Amino acid sequence: AQSVTQLGSHVSVSEGALVLLRCNYSSSVPPYLFWYVQYPNQGLQLLLKYTSAATLVKGINGFEAEFKKSETSFHLTKPSAHMSDAAEYFCAVSDDVFNSGGSNYKLTFGKGTLLTVNP
Amino acid sequence: NAGVTQTPKFQVLKTGQSMTLQCAQDMNHNSMYWYRQDPGMGLRLIYYSASEGTTDKGEVPNGYNVSRLNKREFSLRLESAAPSQTSVYFCASSEGNSNQPQHFGDGTRLSIL
């Protein structure tokens, strides 16, 4: 089964500083990887996804992530933090399953990283 | 463009009571999912439905049942609520291919006293 590790449950940066949120995965096959963002009292919103087309993936709100197979990593970055980026961020890996419903997949999530942006 | 709609948004129950959480999606997705979110635990899969008429257990299915009523609707039932089921519950849907993302509702915040 796949697994995801997010290093740092809480990251604090100053407004305008670089944002780096770390994600490492374990997978026996080339994975599909996702980053989601959750604002307070809301559901999860897709930031970006890696589906093997390109190793550097650009997402919404100026975020991007780089897939590094040799390091089994998919770290999320943004060059300059904004106050509105304060939220919880989740990395997830896609896991194929085969069962009564035929082929399907499920997401395995990391435990999340809470990003705080200081003025 | 509603996406995934969950009802209710908040609920308080007493131990032993039952209730059903409702979820509906308007994106014509094949697959639907129920997760629970607890502090420091991320999201954990309770049940999922690959297609209409099928359901399967996820990581934490004990104490829950589900029904895939039709392609649009997927409900989660707590037959006898326990304090350990206090959580935020999220429903999600997807096309069902592993390279496609899941789309989430805004959640149901459930407290069991």
Side-chain angles (χ1 to χ4, degrees), chain B residues 32-107:
Chain B
M32 298 185 73
Y33 310 82
W34 276 106
Y35 294 88
R36 60 177 290 172
Q37 182 180 29
D38 302 291
M41 301 292 289
L43 276 77
R44 293 181 291 170
L45 183 64
I46 304 171
Y47 271 93
Y48 63 101
S49 170
S51 60
E52 186 178 352
T54 68
T55 61
D56 285 281
K57 295 179 180 179
E59 182 183 355
V60 288
N62 291 344
Y64 305 95
N65 287 300
V66 291
S67 296
R68 182 75 182 267
L69 304 173
N70 47 55
K71 190 171 186 179
R72 290 186 64 249
E73 298 172 288
F74 188 39
S75 63
L76 178 71
R77 183 162 178 83
L78 287 69
E79 290 290 352
S80 179
S84 61
Q85 294 177 305
T86 293
S87 188
V88 182
Y89 291 86
F90 288 99
C91 178
S93 70
S94 77
E95 295 179 12
N97 299 318
S98 56
N99 63 347
Q100 295 298 318
Q102 293 179 10
H103 301 262
F104 287 79
D106 285 339

Side-chain angles (χ1 to χ4, degrees), chain A residues 61-101:
Chain A
N61 301 338
F63 284 93
E64 62 182 33
E66 186 173 10
F67 173 72
K68 292 186 176 181
K69 184 178 179 180
S70 60
E71 299 177 7
T72 60
S73 69
F74 189 56
H75 302 331
L76 182 70
T77 60
K78 182 173 180 177
S80 176
H82 191 273
M83 297 294 289
S84 61
D85 295 327
E88 190 158 21
Y89 292 79
F90 292 93
C91 182
V93 63
S94 182
D95 196 353
D96 283 322
V97 291
F98 301 93
N99 47 43
S100 60

Side-chain angles (χ1 to χ4, degrees), chain A:
Chain A
Q2 322 281 36
S3 66
V4 174
T5 301
Q6 290 185 240
L7 295 176
S9 59
H10 189 190
V11 170
S12 183
V13 301
S14 299
E15 192 172 19
L18 171 71
V19 175
L20 171 61
L21 304 182
R22 299 177 187 274
C23 173
N24 288 87
Y25 67 92
S26 69
S27 173
S28 58
V29 297
Y32 297 127
L33 295 157
F34 303 85
W35 274 100
Y36 285 86
V37 60
Q38 184 181 32
Y39 298 103
N41 298 315
Q42 294 187 24
L44 276 70
Q45 178 183 355
L46 180 70
L47 268 180
L48 49 82
K49 64 178 182 179
Y50 167 74
T51 57
S52 75
T55 57
L56 183 62
V57 181
K58 295 187 182 300
I60 62 171
N61 301 338
F63 284 93
E64 62 182 33
E66 186 173 10
F67 173 72
K68 292 186 176 181
K69 184 178 179 180
S70 60
E71 299 177 7
T72 60
S73 69
F74 189 56
H75 302 331
L76 182 70
T77 60
K78 182 173 180 177
S80 176
H82 191 273
M83 297 294 289
S84 61
D85 295 327
E88 190 158 21
Y89 292 79
F90 292 93
C91 182
V93 63
S94 182
D95 196 353
D96 283 322
V97 291
F98 301 93
N99 47 43
S100 60
S103 64
N104 200 330
Y105 82 100
K106 63 182 179 74
L107 290 179
T108 298
F109 286 87
K111 294 185 177 181
T113 298
L114 182 64
L115 176 66
T116 301
V117 182
N118 303 307

